[in-house]
Amino acid sequence: MSEEGTLPDRLARAITLAGPIALSQFMGAANTHYYATRDPLGARGDFTTAPEISQMFGELIGLALADLWDRAGRPAAHYVELGPGRGTLAADALRAMGHAGLTPPVHLVENSPVLREAQRARVPHAEWALDIVGLPDDAPLLVVANEFFDALPIRQLIRTAEGWRERLVACQDTLFLPVVGNTVFDPIIPEHLRDAPDGSILETSPASVAVLRALAAKLMAQGGAAIVIDYGYSGPAIGDTLQAVRGHAYANPFEEPGEADLTAHVDFGTLVEAARVEGLVAHGPVTQGAYLESLGIGPRAQALIQAAPDRADEIATARDRLTGDAAMGELFKVVALTAPGWPAPAGFA
């Protein structure tokens, strides 16, 4: 333990000295510590992502990118992944791309030293960047962001009898709890939501829009496309989606900050609108289930089963987890963002 104390101690001290902090500040500090200090994935971790469920997920995304690259004229291009986890998706996608003749330089945007080591084991020839600014600027980018935006900080606005206010985080000792701030936010609330019932919550993610705008600037200048996959909705909409996951179970988001994964559902409507404002062409959102089915997960699953009949049940179960409406198929959405003049990616009608 450092002389400054634990993360809860530091947050409690900051709140005691300066008053309640924005939820976005609390969430940002908690997730920065969380990801920097552990590998959160898999049975021993706190959650499992689609690439860890089956190789089919990364393979199909890789083939979709290779197809897009082929129809775009096979330009020199870079593969980029935002928040690449253990590097499993990248490894599977790059293997599939290679079979299609695409062997791009690889750039992974990752801040966690623990996860960088895991990525290095799977994609040893990759280069790393801390943010989008650090990516190359000499060729089109083929970008994947799977479960990246959900972990970016959000702000929550709550409807009260006095109007819309921001939800802040206060503390008593190191017990953290949400409170209502005093600043008036009514003028920025979408008109059709202003008269929502008291207690209604509207979430915004300025951090997500900032990342998307930076990515859009790169794609507009260099060409290319981005595929964004996450759980979410087409907003803005009313709802409290902040959640914490620890040990594959839901936890209290305000308890033991830095020891659980804090996420919120992604507002795809706002991301798509931000992309279009910057000049990109947006495709979707479509559900993850429909997307993977259109890319051919059915035939791919059958091919894997034929090659390994003893794994038939495991492969079929993985396909159902990825595409089933009661699993990830309906809740998870996919959007594609393309530079002007680039073709529409496969999977989008």
Side-chain angles (χ1 to χ4, degrees), residues 234-251:
S234 187
I238 296 296
D240 179 0
T241 73
L242 177 68
Q243 63 186 33
V245 174
R246 187 174 184 180
H248 297 269
Y250 291 113

Side-chain angles (χ1 to χ4, degrees), residues 94-183:
L94 290 162
R95 184 177 63 253
M97 287 181 204
H99 290 304
L102 174 58
T103 55
V106 180
H107 303 268
L108 305 179
V109 177
E110 179 62 70
N111 289 308
S112 166
V114 176
L115 289 175
R116 280 193 179 201
E117 285 305 309
Q119 294 154 18
R120 187 171 285 109
R122 291 166 178 79
V123 195
H125 59 288
E127 294 186 10
W128 281 264
L130 293 175
D131 54 32
I132 289 170
V133 176
L135 295 173
D137 58 8
D138 61 342
L141 305 178
L142 302 173
V143 183
V144 178
N146 178 62
E147 290 200 53
F148 170 77
F149 282 96
D150 64 84
L152 295 183
I154 62 164
R155 299 175 73 173
Q156 288 186 333
L157 305 178
I158 184 168
R159 172 66 192 256
T160 72
E162 291 76 37
W164 286 90
R165 303 291 187 266
E166 184 167 17
R167 239 180 156 197
L168 306 175
V169 179
C171 75
Q172 297 171 346
D173 295 324
T174 54
L175 174 65
F176 299 92
L177 66 161
V179 298
V180 177
N182 295 320
T183 305

Side-chain angles (χ1 to χ4, degrees), residues 254-271:
F254 300 100
E255 195 172 282
E256 294 188 84
E259 299 303 318
D261 177 43
L262 298 188
T263 65
H265 289 209
V266 174
D267 175 359
F268 280 103
T270 295
L271 286 187

Side-chain angles (χ1 to χ4, degrees), residues 199-267:
S200 298
I201 288 176
L202 177 66
E203 296 176 344
T204 68
S205 180
S208 295
V209 173
V211 168
L212 191 131
R213 291 184 66 185
L215 178 60
K218 299 283 287 183
L219 293 175
M220 290 297 293
Q222 298 167 226
I227 296 176
V228 178
I229 307 158
D230 227 312
Y231 54 89
Y233 58 97
S234 187
I238 296 296
D240 179 0
T241 73
L242 177 68
Q243 63 186 33
V245 174
R246 187 174 184 180
H248 297 269
Y250 291 113
N252 181 343
F254 300 100
E255 195 172 282
E256 294 188 84
E259 299 303 318
D261 177 43
L262 298 188
T263 65
H265 289 209
V266 174
D267 175 359

